[in-house]
Each structure stands twice: as C-alpha cells, then as structure tokens.
Amino acid sequence: MFETCLPFLVSVISVYCSSEDASGFFVSLLFGLGPLLGGFILVVFALAFHLQHALLMGAASGIAFVLTAWRPLQLLVSSKMGFFPLISLLALGAAFVHVSSSSILKIAGRKKASVNNLPTVTGFPVSVHTLQSFLSCGAVAFHALAEGLALGVAAPEAYGLGRHMVLPVSLHGLPRGAAVASCIFGATDSWHSALAAATLIGFVGPISAIGAILARIDYSGLDHVMVFACGGLLPSFGSIIRRGVRLDTRRGGFGLAVGVGFASLCLMCTKLVCLHTPYCNSAPEAVR
C-alpha cells in the first residue's frame, strides 16, 4: 500500500511545490527517524539490562555534552568562527536556558502542594526532578530546532527525494533521541513516556526544516543559532548529572562514559559515511 501511496503523494506535492521543495520536504521527514530509533534502542537496553536511574541520567548527560561540543569544535577547527565569539555564544545560550528554567521552577515551586510535589492542571503530582528533566528535554528540542533550520536550507538540494540521506541523517539523530529517552526514563521510570518524548523530539527537526524551506531562509547566521542552542544544553544536563551522581556516584559516572561513547560513535560514523560515500554530497549541512 505504501508503494502505491508514495507516487500519488509525490505527484500531489509536485503540483504545489517545486521539485527541490518536494525533495526537501521528504528529507526533512527523514530527519525524524533518528531520534525515534535512538529512543527505541535506549528503551530496549534499559528494559533488557534493568538499568538504574543514576546510570540513565549519566548516559543522557554524556550524550548532551557531546552534542554541546560537536558543532562548536567543527566551527573552531575549520576557522568558521573565532574562539571568543564561540565562547560568548555558548555562554549566552547557557545563561538563557538557565534563567528560563530557574524561572519556571520558581513559579512551579510557589504552587507546590508539598515539599516535593507540584500540582498540575490534571491533578496528578509531578516531582521537581521530573519537571527539571522535562525542561532538559526542552533544551534538546531547542538544539533540534536549530539543526532543523540548517537541514531545511540544505535539504532541497538532496536528490532522489532524499532516500540517499536515510543512513547519515538517522545516525545523526540517534544520540538526541537516546538522550531524551534516557532522561525521561530515569526521571519517570516509564518506558512509554520515554518513547513518547523521543517521538516528540523527532518531530521538532522536520517541522523546523519545513518551516525553513517555506520561509526561503539561507544559511547565513545559522551557525550562530546552533552554537547558542548548544550552550543551552550545559546547564540543563549539568543539573541532571549532578542528581545522577548524588544517587549513585559509580553508576552515574559509568553512565556518563557510556553516553559520551555512544554519542561520539554515532556522530563519527555519520562523518565517516559523509567522507567515504556520496550520501551527503547534495546536503552536507544537514548532517554535520
């Protein structure tokens, strides 16, 4: 059925959009596969090996710290951005997210029904730590939004409706989905919530990319937005790793190492795919 529907969908899009835009839309949709797969992999491993909360929080933080450093280091090594502007943008992003998160936690704290529980509109209590985990996922969503804008600029150049981009784009998105799923699973002990969070994060990139395509923006200034978003991950997941270490120092530290290794492996494999295959030739900015 999918095989019969896809040509029809392509023809409908082609009526209202150029072939470049149609290709960009499909590549943008592919960008959501990675986070979903990353969340699924994390949940499977967490359930199979009965991973503890401290280890999950450490893993989420390790992934986030690699995501924080990856693009800024690329810009620094390639001399596309100076050291002091880069550090300034990271600091501004960290300050923005820290102030925003602190304000939300203070507002919620004023309404708390007890020391640890926050009343919600549904009547179900949410712990302060759980709310903090959701705010950290918001920082990941901001990071995905920034990358989605870059994808939206590059994706219309992808040939073959983006089918050649499936592998590098999925590899690139795996760490983000795993970070969100690990963070939520560690806070709520619910694999349903973890998968739902990874799925929602998977939608952010495509929506942002499609918006960039429709708005016809160019790539100028997007690296600055990306670095700003990277800075926002630091305070959010700094608090997550501190809580994980307080729960269990050994497991929290081990989870941090696992997260760093997993994210580095995924991003390096993406880079290798782009260097040694033609998959990224048409849209290199999408998976850097």
CSV table of all heavy atoms in Angstrom, one decimal, residues 77-107:
chain,number,residue,atom,x,y,z
A,77,VAL,N,37.7,24.4,14.5
A,77,VAL,CA,38.8,23.7,13.8
A,77,VAL,C,38.8,24.2,12.3
A,77,VAL,O,39.9,24.4,11.7
A,77,VAL,CB,38.6,22.2,13.8
A,77,VAL,CG1,39.6,21.5,12.9
A,77,VAL,CG2,38.9,21.7,15.2
A,78,SER,N,37.6,24.4,11.7
A,78,SER,CA,37.5,24.9,10.3
A,78,SER,C,37.7,26.4,10.2
A,78,SER,O,37.6,26.9,9.1
A,78,SER,CB,36.2,24.4,9.7
A,78,SER,OG,35.1,25.0,10.4
A,79,SER,N,37.9,27.1,11.3
A,79,SER,CA,38.1,28.5,11.3
A,79,SER,C,36.9,29.3,10.8
A,79,SER,O,37.0,30.4,10.3
A,79,SER,CB,39.4,28.9,10.5
A,79,SER,OG,40.5,28.3,11.1
A,80,LYS,N,35.7,28.7,10.9
A,80,LYS,CA,34.5,29.4,10.5
A,80,LYS,C,34.0,30.3,11.6
A,80,LYS,O,33.1,31.2,11.3
A,80,LYS,CB,33.4,28.4,10.2
A,80,LYS,CG,33.7,27.6,8.9
A,80,LYS,CD,32.5,26.8,8.5
A,80,LYS,CE,32.7,26.1,7.1
A,80,LYS,NZ,31.5,25.3,6.7
A,81,MET,N,34.5,30.2,12.8
A,81,MET,CA,34.1,31.0,13.9
A,81,MET,C,35.3,31.2,14.9
A,81,MET,O,35.9,30.2,15.2
A,81,MET,CB,32.9,30.5,14.6
A,81,MET,CG,32.3,31.4,15.7
A,81,MET,SD,30.7,30.8,16.4
A,81,MET,CE,29.6,30.8,15.0
A,82,GLY,N,35.5,32.4,15.4
A,82,GLY,CA,36.6,32.6,16.3
A,82,GLY,C,36.3,32.0,17.7
A,82,GLY,O,35.2,31.8,18.0
A,83,PHE,N,37.4,31.9,18.5
A,83,PHE,CA,37.2,31.3,19.8
A,83,PHE,C,36.3,32.2,20.7
A,83,PHE,O,35.4,31.6,21.4
A,83,PHE,CB,38.6,31.1,20.4
A,83,PHE,CG,38.6,30.6,21.8
A,83,PHE,CD1,38.4,29.2,22.0
A,83,PHE,CD2,38.8,31.4,22.9
A,83,PHE,CE1,38.3,28.7,23.3
A,83,PHE,CE2,38.7,30.9,24.2
A,83,PHE,CZ,38.5,29.6,24.4
A,84,PHE,N,36.6,33.5,20.8
A,84,PHE,CA,35.8,34.3,21.7
A,84,PHE,C,34.4,34.5,21.3
A,84,PHE,O,33.5,34.4,22.2
A,84,PHE,CB,36.5,35.7,21.8
A,84,PHE,CG,37.8,35.6,22.6
A,84,PHE,CD1,39.0,35.7,21.9
A,84,PHE,CD2,37.9,35.3,23.9
A,84,PHE,CE1,40.3,35.6,22.6
A,84,PHE,CE2,39.0,35.2,24.6
A,84,PHE,CZ,40.2,35.4,24.0
A,85,PRO,N,34.1,34.7,20.0
A,85,PRO,CA,32.6,34.7,19.6
A,85,PRO,C,31.9,33.4,20.0
A,85,PRO,O,30.8,33.3,20.4
A,85,PRO,CB,32.7,34.9,18.1
A,85,PRO,CG,33.9,35.6,17.9
A,85,PRO,CD,34.9,35.0,18.9
A,86,LEU,N,32.6,32.3,19.7
A,86,LEU,CA,32.1,30.9,20.0
A,86,LEU,C,31.8,30.8,21.5
A,86,LEU,O,30.7,30.3,21.9
A,86,LEU,CB,33.0,29.9,19.5
A,86,LEU,CG,32.5,28.4,19.5
A,86,LEU,CD1,33.1,27.7,18.3
A,86,LEU,CD2,32.8,27.7,20.8
A,87,ILE,N,32.8,31.1,22.3
A,87,ILE,CA,32.6,31.0,23.8
A,87,ILE,C,31.5,31.9,24.3
A,87,ILE,O,30.7,31.6,25.1
A,87,ILE,CB,33.9,31.3,24.5
A,87,ILE,CG1,34.9,30.2,24.2
A,87,ILE,CG2,33.7,31.4,26.0
A,87,ILE,CD1,34.5,28.8,24.7
A,88,SER,N,31.4,33.1,23.7
A,88,SER,CA,30.4,34.1,24.1
A,88,SER,C,29.0,33.5,23.8
A,88,SER,O,28.0,33.7,24.6
A,88,SER,CB,30.6,35.4,23.4
A,88,SER,OG,31.8,36.0,23.7
A,89,LEU,N,28.8,32.9,22.6
A,89,LEU,CA,27.5,32.4,22.2
A,89,LEU,C,27.1,31.2,23.1
A,89,LEU,O,26.0,31.0,23.5
A,89,LEU,CB,27.5,32.0,20.7
A,89,LEU,CG,27.4,33.1,19.7
A,89,LEU,CD1,27.7,32.6,18.3
A,89,LEU,CD2,26.1,33.7,19.8
A,90,LEU,N,28.1,30.4,23.4
A,90,LEU,CA,27.8,29.2,24.3
A,90,LEU,C,27.4,29.7,25.7
A,90,LEU,O,26.4,29.2,26.3
A,90,LEU,CB,29.1,28.4,24.5
A,90,LEU,CG,29.5,27.4,23.3
A,90,LEU,CD1,30.8,26.8,23.6
A,90,LEU,CD2,28.4,26.4,23.1
A,91,ALA,N,28.1,30.8,26.2
A,91,ALA,CA,27.7,31.3,27.5
A,91,ALA,C,26.4,32.0,27.5
A,91,ALA,O,25.6,31.8,28.4
A,91,ALA,CB,28.8,32.4,27.9
A,92,LEU,N,26.0,32.7,26.4
A,92,LEU,CA,24.7,33.3,26.3
A,92,LEU,C,23.6,32.2,26.2
A,92,LEU,O,22.6,32.4,26.8
A,92,LEU,CB,24.6,34.2,25.0
A,92,LEU,CG,25.4,35.5,25.1
A,92,LEU,CD1,25.4,36.2,23.7
A,92,LEU,CD2,24.7,36.4,26.1
A,93,GLY,N,23.9,31.2,25.5
A,93,GLY,CA,22.9,30.1,25.4
A,93,GLY,C,22.7,29.4,26.8
A,93,GLY,O,21.5,29.1,27.2
A,94,ALA,N,23.8,29.2,27.5
A,94,ALA,CA,23.7,28.6,28.8
A,94,ALA,C,22.9,29.5,29.8
A,94,ALA,O,22.1,29.0,30.5
A,94,ALA,CB,25.1,28.3,29.3
A,95,ALA,N,23.2,30.8,29.7
A,95,ALA,CA,22.6,31.7,30.6
A,95,ALA,C,21.1,31.8,30.3
A,95,ALA,O,20.3,31.9,31.2
A,95,ALA,CB,23.2,33.1,30.5
A,96,PHE,N,20.7,31.9,29.0
A,96,PHE,CA,19.3,32.0,28.6
A,96,PHE,C,18.5,30.8,29.1
A,96,PHE,O,17.5,30.9,29.7
A,96,PHE,CB,19.2,32.0,27.1
A,96,PHE,CG,17.8,32.0,26.6
A,96,PHE,CD1,17.0,33.0,26.7
A,96,PHE,CD2,17.3,30.8,26.0
A,96,PHE,CE1,15.7,33.0,26.2
A,96,PHE,CE2,16.1,30.7,25.5
A,96,PHE,CZ,15.2,31.8,25.6
A,97,VAL,N,19.0,29.6,28.9
A,97,VAL,CA,18.3,28.4,29.4
A,97,VAL,C,18.3,28.3,30.9
A,97,VAL,O,17.3,27.9,31.5
A,97,VAL,CB,19.0,27.1,28.8
A,97,VAL,CG1,18.4,25.8,29.4
A,97,VAL,CG2,18.7,27.1,27.2
A,98,HIS,N,19.4,28.6,31.5
A,98,HIS,CA,19.5,28.6,33.0
A,98,HIS,C,18.4,29.5,33.6
A,98,HIS,O,17.7,29.2,34.5
A,98,HIS,CB,20.8,29.0,33.5
A,98,HIS,CG,21.0,29.1,35.0
A,98,HIS,ND1,20.9,28.0,35.8
A,98,HIS,CD2,21.1,30.1,35.8
A,98,HIS,CE1,21.0,28.3,37.1
A,98,HIS,NE2,21.1,29.7,37.1
A,99,VAL,N,18.4,30.8,33.1
A,99,VAL,CA,17.4,31.7,33.6
A,99,VAL,C,16.0,31.3,33.4
A,99,VAL,O,15.1,31.4,34.2
A,99,VAL,CB,17.7,33.1,33.0
A,99,VAL,CG1,16.6,34.1,33.4
A,99,VAL,CG2,19.0,33.7,33.5
A,100,SER,N,15.7,30.8,32.1
A,100,SER,CA,14.4,30.4,31.8
A,100,SER,C,13.9,29.2,32.7
A,100,SER,O,12.8,29.2,33.2
A,100,SER,CB,14.3,30.0,30.3
A,100,SER,OG,14.7,31.0,29.5
A,101,SER,N,14.8,28.2,32.8
A,101,SER,CA,14.5,27.0,33.6
A,101,SER,C,14.3,27.4,35.1
A,101,SER,O,13.3,26.9,35.7
A,101,SER,CB,15.6,26.0,33.5
A,101,SER,OG,15.8,25.5,32.2
A,102,SER,N,15.2,28.2,35.6
A,102,SER,CA,15.0,28.7,37.0
A,102,SER,C,13.7,29.4,37.3
A,102,SER,O,13.1,29.2,38.3
A,102,SER,CB,16.2,29.6,37.4
A,102,SER,OG,17.4,28.9,37.3
A,103,SER,N,13.3,30.2,36.3
A,103,SER,CA,12.1,31.0,36.4
A,103,SER,C,10.9,30.0,36.5
A,103,SER,O,10.0,30.2,37.3
A,103,SER,CB,11.9,32.0,35.3
A,103,SER,OG,13.0,32.9,35.3
A,104,ILE,N,10.9,29.0,35.6
A,104,ILE,CA,9.8,28.1,35.5
A,104,ILE,C,9.7,27.3,36.8
A,104,ILE,O,8.7,27.0,37.4
A,104,ILE,CB,10.0,27.1,34.3
A,104,ILE,CG1,9.8,27.9,33.0
A,104,ILE,CG2,9.0,26.0,34.4
A,104,ILE,CD1,10.1,27.2,31.8
A,105,LEU,N,10.9,26.8,37.3
A,105,LEU,CA,10.9,26.0,38.6
A,105,LEU,C,10.5,26.9,39.8
A,105,LEU,O,9.8,26.4,40.7
A,105,LEU,CB,12.4,25.5,38.8
A,105,LEU,CG,12.8,24.4,37.9
A,105,LEU,CD1,14.3,24.1,38.1
A,105,LEU,CD2,12.0,23.1,38.1
A,106,LYS,N,10.8,28.2,39.8
A,106,LYS,CA,10.4,29.0,40.9
A,106,LYS,C,8.9,29.2,40.8
A,106,LYS,O,8.2,29.2,41.9
A,106,LYS,CB,11.1,30.4,40.8
A,106,LYS,CG,12.6,30.4,41.2
A,106,LYS,CD,13.2,31.7,41.1
A,106,LYS,CE,14.7,31.7,41.5
A,106,LYS,NZ,15.4,33.0,41.3
A,107,ILE,N,8.3,29.5,39.7
A,107,ILE,CA,6.9,29.6,39.5
A,107,ILE,C,6.2,28.3,40.0
A,107,ILE,O,5.2,28.4,40.7
A,107,ILE,CB,6.5,30.0,38.1
A,107,ILE,CG1,7.0,31.3,37.7
A,107,ILE,CG2,5.0,29.9,37.9
A,107,ILE,CD1,6.9,31.7,36.2
